[in-house]
Amino acid sequence: MPAPSLLPPDASLSPRAPGAVVLMLHGGAQHGLQEVGPRSASLWRTGRMRDVLEPRLAEHGVATYLLRYAVRGWNEGAGPEPSPVPDARWALGELACEHPGAPVVLLGHSMGGRTSVRVADHPAVVGVVGLAPWLEPGDPIGALAGRHLLLGHGSRDKITSARATRAYAERARPVAASAEFTDLGRLGHYMLARQDTWNRFALDAVLEVLARSADRTAQE
């Protein structure tokens, strides 16, 4: 059976004792039990973003990991939880052992964003950054209680809905520590055009989540 794997940071870049961790979650498909292999376009796209973000985040003492799911699909109803959700829970457990006490920000694209909001209730998670996330009206918000949520979506996306993303942020606002939607302009879904815009939003949003979390901790 396929199994998920956690792609670690570049040892030459990552801080030895990171003050925080980013877990990147790639996209996928509505259905599909095929193993996520090295040629997965969704994994590749998120990996390219990690190549850009990792050295910049390392300057802030943040280690960057990338989760490769076991299978490519969301597969609602195929098990107790959609396929990538237990994979993400497993990854968070691994990170909690590797970096005990370090706050974690989930950075998810498309299906990765949908997965992130399901597992944000892990004790180490302080917030979620979603890039063109796949969010539906019935998706739960409870896991975001006390967490920060920053979502960015382009208006030319024909794969997932910017309107649904905005509605989800509004619905999450009463339970989340903060919940914001950013209109990224005339961007599509796959993060291939205007990559600098996607990368800048992702970097700024991750650092903003960590700053807000630190401020809240200091006030408590």
Side-chain angles (χ1 to χ4, degrees):
M1 290 291 292
S5 61
L6 198 54
L7 308 181
D10 184 331
S12 67
L13 297 174
S14 183
R16 292 187 177 181
V21 173
V22 169
L23 176 60
M24 300 185 72
L25 294 91
H26 62 84
Q30 186 172 1
H31 305 289
L33 296 175
Q34 304 94 331
E35 183 176 3
V36 177
R39 295 186 178 182
S40 163
S42 296
L43 179 64
W44 176 80
R45 285 191 294 268
T46 302
R48 284 193 62 172
M49 175 176 277
R50 186 174 80 145
D51 291 342
V52 175
L53 297 186
E54 184 174 14
R56 301 179 188 179
L57 287 169
E59 293 175 359
H60 296 271
V62 180
T64 307
Y65 288 77
L66 172 58
L67 171 62
R68 180 188 62 79
Y69 310 127
V71 298
R72 68 186 298 266
W74 179 252
N75 303 320
E76 186 89 59
E81 295 183 294
S83 294
V85 174
D87 293 353
R89 296 193 193 283
W90 166 80
L92 286 167
E94 294 293 301
L95 292 177
C97 292
E98 182 72 18
H99 305 292
V104 175
V105 179
L106 300 171
L107 174 58
H109 173 244
S110 192
M111 188 176 77
R114 195 178 195 189
T115 303
S116 295
V117 300
R118 298 284 183 111
V119 302
D121 54 354
H122 187 280
V125 174
V126 295
V128 171
V129 175
L131 309 171
W134 171 25
L135 295 167
E136 300 286 350
D139 282 340
I141 58 174
L144 292 164
R147 275 70 173 177
H148 299 280
L149 177 68
L150 298 181
L151 303 176
H153 216 128
S155 60
R156 299 185 67 181
D157 193 331
K158 297 182 179 180
I159 305 299
T160 57
S161 168
R163 182 175 297 180
T165 296
R166 185 191 295 271
Y168 185 89
E170 293 173 354
R171 192 156 54 88
R173 207 159 282 144
V175 302
S178 65
E180 297 178 8
F181 170 85
T182 298
D183 183 346
L184 295 178
R186 296 175 62 80
L187 293 181
H189 184 72
Y190 292 112
M191 303 193 302
L192 296 176
R194 292 173 57 189
Q195 294 178 31
D196 58 333
T197 300
W198 288 108
N199 293 334
R200 183 168 58 251
F201 173 79
L203 177 65
D204 291 347
V206 165
L207 295 177
E208 180 64 22
V209 166
L210 291 173
R212 292 183 186 185
S213 175
D215 288 345
R216 186 177 182 189
T217 301
Q219 293 171 7
E220 293 177 349

